[in-house]
Amino acid sequence: DGAGRARASSRVGPGWRYRLESLLIERARAGAVAAALVVATTAVHAVNLTAAPQRLAEEGDIAARAWAVENLRALTPGTYTYDGPPLGWLQLGAWTWLTGAFDRGPSAVGAVRPAMLIALAVSAALLWVLARRLELPRWAAATALVLFGLSPLAVDLHRQVLVENLAVPWILAAFVLATSPRQRLAAQAGAGLCLGVAVLTSGTALLLVPALALLLWRATAAENRWMVLAVAASLFLLVCGAFAVGAAARGELLPGDAGPSLLEGAWHQA
């Protein structure tokens, strides 16, 4: 009798088609909420983007470096110095070259600010994915997205031409890969690679190395933790070490009279 009742219960319960449709509907709703918030955030930041906030001297310096990358094939328009990792300027230079930004923008800073808008849109989408992978409810993920993109401080800072704004998508991509539900080694190794790119974009990203290591440790099965950390750390050091190796090859790693020094610049930044 018990077996018969169990079979009858299984027949009247929801079938696989119902469960599949429910899952697709739930994901479609979550995707619609995320898309609406990302579009709203991007639209708010696009309004009067080139004029507000008031242009800062640092924005002009970064725009000049992007111009030098595009037109002079150099990292700075003047004397080469190690006053920060170069990948942020290289990314901006590639973007202005591909889009012809300096030929269309109302000013040098205004020509580069749309790149910050793209970085913001990508960051907002990645933030939603990260929040959901951390098993936050939908309302909490939406709140995080609103605070990230639509708070008054965010509307001011995300518009400015700052290498930190370019590093944020790489940082979030690293955390999204680290929380991959399938725990694939390629994704976890990619997390170290993305954080390395973020560090070469903005040295401030170094502060997040312990957080990423902790996340990889917690998200990985116990028997694979040390291997995952070793692979991710190797790729991270490979990316960051390429910068130091290039400086050493030019004789610009250690302080001296011949020219700028990477260690000197790093000490100054610290």
Side-chain angles (χ1 to χ4, degrees):
D1 293 339
R5 285 195 298 269
R7 286 193 296 270
S9 176
S10 65
R11 285 195 297 270
V12 300
W16 67 269
R17 289 185 179 179
Y18 176 82
R19 292 194 295 271
L20 178 60
E21 290 174 358
S22 299
L23 178 62
L24 293 177
I25 292 173
E26 181 66 20
R27 289 190 174 182
R29 288 175 179 171
V33 171
L37 289 172
V38 171
V39 170
T41 298
T42 307
V44 168
H45 283 263
V47 176
N48 205 24
L49 173 67
T50 59
Q54 180 64 37
R55 295 186 295 272
L56 303 178
E58 184 177 359
E59 291 186 276
D61 178 64
I62 295 173
R65 293 174 187 272
W67 181 89
V69 168
E70 178 185 352
N71 295 279
L72 304 180
R73 303 297 187 267
L75 292 178
T76 64
T79 304
Y80 181 71
T81 58
Y82 284 99
D83 53 356
L87 199 53
W89 312 325
L90 293 174
Q91 291 175 68
L92 282 177
W95 184 83
T96 58
W97 174 67
L98 289 172
T99 62
F102 285 120
D103 297 327
R104 299 181 290 102
S107 64
V109 172
V112 181
R113 276 191 178 177
M116 303 299 108
L117 189 65
I118 296 174
L120 173 68
V122 174
S123 299
L126 288 172
L127 181 61
W128 175 272
V129 175
L130 177 60
R132 297 297 286 167
R133 285 192 174 181
L134 292 175
E135 299 182 353
L136 293 180
R138 192 185 304 166
W139 66 265
T143 302
L145 216 59
V146 169
L147 291 175
F148 174 77
L150 298 177
S151 66
L153 184 63
V155 172
D156 182 75
L157 290 179
H158 286 313
R159 292 165 171 244
Q160 296 177 17
V161 181
L162 302 173
V163 289
E164 288 78 10
N165 286 336
L166 292 176
V168 169
W170 293 106
I171 293 169
L172 289 170
F175 279 78
V176 166
L177 289 172
T179 53
S180 173
R182 297 185 180 181
Q183 297 186 7
R184 290 182 175 176
L185 183 60
Q188 295 160 329
L193 181 66
C194 286
L195 191 60
V197 174
V199 169
L200 289 189
T201 301
S202 171
T204 313
L206 271 173
L207 297 173
L208 294 169
V209 170
L212 182 64
L214 177 61
L215 189 60
L216 285 170
W217 181 270
R218 295 183 61 182
T220 306
E223 63 272 13
N224 298 326
R225 283 172 175 169
W226 288 111
M227 180 183 67
V228 166
L229 285 178
V231 172
S234 298
L235 286 176
F236 173 79
L237 293 175
L238 180 65
V239 173
C240 295
F243 185 33
V245 169
R250 294 190 297 270
E252 297 174 340
L253 180 62
L254 301 174
D257 299 328
S261 162
L262 173 59
L263 293 182
E264 227 171 25
W267 176 255
H268 173 72
Q269 289 296 308

